[in-house]
């Protein structure tokens, strides 16, 4: 990612740069995903200038680049799988949740999305023999639903291992949580996550999981009203591509949650569709539709996977976490 100053962008003098920073646009990446309306509002620039600033920020931010086929093959050899703690759920996914992929959990409130995310943050830390990747987890928490107590309960529910006492404290130390207060902040936190992952890369527990719970809620809350849909989808799309890049660079699983819309939404025709519509659908590698069943039981349905058959798995959310 570019590390240039805002002042490097054509059309941005020191005064404009200062106003932009005051409004929270601290990096060229943040400008690159801004809308002209936002810049006009916070930096007192005209529409043409705003458009020019954004265009040059996008060019400067140049996320990604090309890889050759053999490089991709080499990278794909390192794909790891993280257990869900449930045999059927693992089978549905061809063995577990894969690194270098985006897994989207969508479903109504209480369907278990956050529970699955907590369980994966525990399981990623397990040794490979037990379905983990000896990895750390990063959680971008947009709804303030991360609960360390819940992690401790799940650690208590881990399968016993000879000579090892699973310590909840140890697990909690390897889960790095940040609250995201709005969608721009959420986008910026991916950059911070990247820096953190770089710091942990050569340690015993490199980052192998990045959770964004929920990936769509802020976008949905902020972009309301006629004419905002295109902006929202564009930003969400860019955010998802940055997440994907994080997954590729760090050999990490990207696990995102998404609520289905309870009420018909003005922007989408079908009220049963997950928030984010086709943008999320095309970027997520695995989409799982979660729904409630009797009591503790939950059903995960795999939808549109590139190389696995669609199907369903039943799992339980118990006091000690996900179980068969
Ligand atoms: P939203 O974020 O509201 O969209 O829902 P979600 O899909 O993230 O739901 P979540 O994962 O929070 O699931 C909540 C459900 O998990 C509860 O209704 C309980 O059934 C179960 N659950 C949550 N915490 C516990 C717990 O401590 N013990 C047990 N046994 N179940 C729990
Ligand atoms: Mg939740």
């Amino acid at each position: 990612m570019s590390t240039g100053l805002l002042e490097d962008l054509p059309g941005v003098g020191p005064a404009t740069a200062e106003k932009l920073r005051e409004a929270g646009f601290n990096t060229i990446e943040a400008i690159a995903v801004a809308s002209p309306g936002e810049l006009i509002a916070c930096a007192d620039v005209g529409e043409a200038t705003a458009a020019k600033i954004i265009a040059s920020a996008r060019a400067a931010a140049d996320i990604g680049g090309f890889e050759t086929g053999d490089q991709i093959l080499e990278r794909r050899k390192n794909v790891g799988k993280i257990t869900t703690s449930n045999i059927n759920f693992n089978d549905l996914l061809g063995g577990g949740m894969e690194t270098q992929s985006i897994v989207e959990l969508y479903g109504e409130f209480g369907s278990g999305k956050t529970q699955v995310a907590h369980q994966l943050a525990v399981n990623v830390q397990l040794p490979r023999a037990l379905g983990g990747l000896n990895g750390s987890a990063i959680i971008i928490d947009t709804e303030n639903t991360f609960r360390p107590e819940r992690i401790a309960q799940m650690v208590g529910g881990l399968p016993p291992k000879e000579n090892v006492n699973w310590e909840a404290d140890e697990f909690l130390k390897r889960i790095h949580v940040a609250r995201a207060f709005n969608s721009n902040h959420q986008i910026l936190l991916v950059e911070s996550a990247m820096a953190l992952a770089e710091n942990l890369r050569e340690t015993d527990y490199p980052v192998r999981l990045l959770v964004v719970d929920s990936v769509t809620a802020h976008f949905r809350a902020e972009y309301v009203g006629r004419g905002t849909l295109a902006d929202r989808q564009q930003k969400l799309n860019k955010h998802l591509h940055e997440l994907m890049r994080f997954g590729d660079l760090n050999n990490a699983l990207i696990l995102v949650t998404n609520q289905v819309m309870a009420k018909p939404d003005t922007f989408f025709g079908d009220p049963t569709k997950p928030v984010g519509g086709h943008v999320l659908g095309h970027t997520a590698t695995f989409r799982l539709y979660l729904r409630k069943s009797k009591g503790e039981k939950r059903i995960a349905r795999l939808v549109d996977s590139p190389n696995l058959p669609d199907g369903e798995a039943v799992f339980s959310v118990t006091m000690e976490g996900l179980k068969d």
Side-chain angles (χ1 to χ4, degrees):
M1 271 186 211
S2 100
T3 50
L5 294 169
L6 301 190
E7 285 87 340
D8 296 341
L9 297 170
V12 180
T16 305
E18 204 40 53
K19 283 179 196 157
L20 288 169
R21 278 191 282 265
E22 272 169 24
F25 294 98
N26 293 303
T27 63
I28 289 180
E29 281 73 25
I31 307 274
V33 297
S35 67
E38 289 173 315
L39 298 202
I40 294 166
C42 71
D44 293 329
V45 293
E47 188 156 356
T49 308
K52 191 172 106 186
I53 293 172
I54 291 168
S56 41
R58 286 193 184 145
D62 181 32
I63 309 250
F66 290 97
E67 268 181 305
T68 55
D70 60 320
Q71 287 171 328
I72 295 172
L73 183 66
E74 200 50 42
R75 177 161 64 68
R76 295 287 309 165
K77 281 184 191 156
N78 298 323
V79 165
K81 291 181 180 177
I82 307 170
T83 182
T84 62
S85 295
N86 177 288
I87 292 169
N88 300 320
F89 203 162
N90 286 348
D91 284 350
L92 183 67
L93 294 162
M97 293 195 186
E98 280 186 5
T99 61
Q100 298 181 38
S101 77
I102 297 186
V103 173
E104 176 195 353
L105 302 169
Y106 71 95
E108 64 177 19
F109 70 92
S111 57
K113 302 180 294 293
T114 297
Q115 298 302 310
V116 173
H118 277 64
Q119 187 72 57
L120 269 286
V122 170
N123 293 357
V124 69
Q125 305 187 34
L126 293 170
R128 282 169 194 270
L130 294 176
L133 293 173
N134 270 303
S136 294
I138 298 179
I139 299 180
I140 298 177
D141 182 9
T142 75
E143 308 197 295
N144 199 15
T145 51
F146 175 75
R147 294 289 175 272
E149 301 80 7
R150 193 66 185 121
I151 295 291
Q153 289 175 338
M154 288 176 172
V155 171
L158 286 173
K161 187 166 171 266
E162 258 177 81
N163 305 325
V164 180
N165 247 335
W166 302 121
E167 297 283 354
D169 279 358
E170 294 299 315
F171 280 80
L172 286 166
K173 277 183 192 145
R174 295 189 284 256
I175 302 175
H176 304 263
V177 186
R179 283 282 306 282
F181 295 102
N182 56 48
S183 66
N184 261 328
H185 188 206
Q186 181 179 327
I187 287 164
L188 288 171
L189 282 172
V190 181
E191 282 179 48
S192 317
M194 197 74 90
L196 179 56
E198 267 163 38
N199 283 336
L200 293 173
R201 194 165 293 157
E202 303 303 327
T203 66
D204 292 342
Y205 286 87
V207 175
R208 293 283 179 254
L209 170 66
L210 174 60
V211 171
V212 187
D213 184 11
S214 137
V215 75
T216 44
H218 281 317
F219 288 91
R220 189 185 181 194
E222 291 164 26
Y223 291 82
V224 285
R226 203 172 276 280
T228 61
L229 177 64
D231 271 351
R232 174 175 90 174
Q233 294 302 81
Q234 199 180 347
K235 272 204 178 180
L236 192 54
N237 184 39
K238 186 144 189 296
H239 181 46
L240 288 164
H241 280 97
E242 285 171 3
L243 290 170
M244 190 74 239
R245 181 163 174 270
F246 182 101
D248 289 350
L249 283 177
N250 296 296
N251 191 20
L253 161 67
I254 309 297
L255 184 59
V256 304
T257 72
N258 187 14
Q259 255 200 354
V260 290
M261 291 174 295
K263 289 184 204 141
D265 186 303
T266 15
F267 304 121
F268 295 91
D270 181 351
T272 65
K273 282 275 194 302
V275 179
H278 70 277
V279 172
L280 215 56
H282 290 168
T283 317
T285 330
F286 301 92
R287 310 194 88 187
L288 288 160
Y289 177 41
L290 302 188
R291 62 186 202 275
K292 293 180 213 173
S293 183
K294 282 196 186 112
E296 302 180 321
K297 299 271 184 228
R298 296 290 183 276
I299 299 164
R301 176 173 187 77
L302 183 65
V303 186
D304 314 325
S305 154
N307 51 8
L308 290 168
D310 287 4
E312 292 193 342
V314 179
F315 63 96
S316 301
V317 179
T318 74
M319 167 80 176
E320 297 185 309
L322 266 60
K323 296 285 168 198
D324 283 335

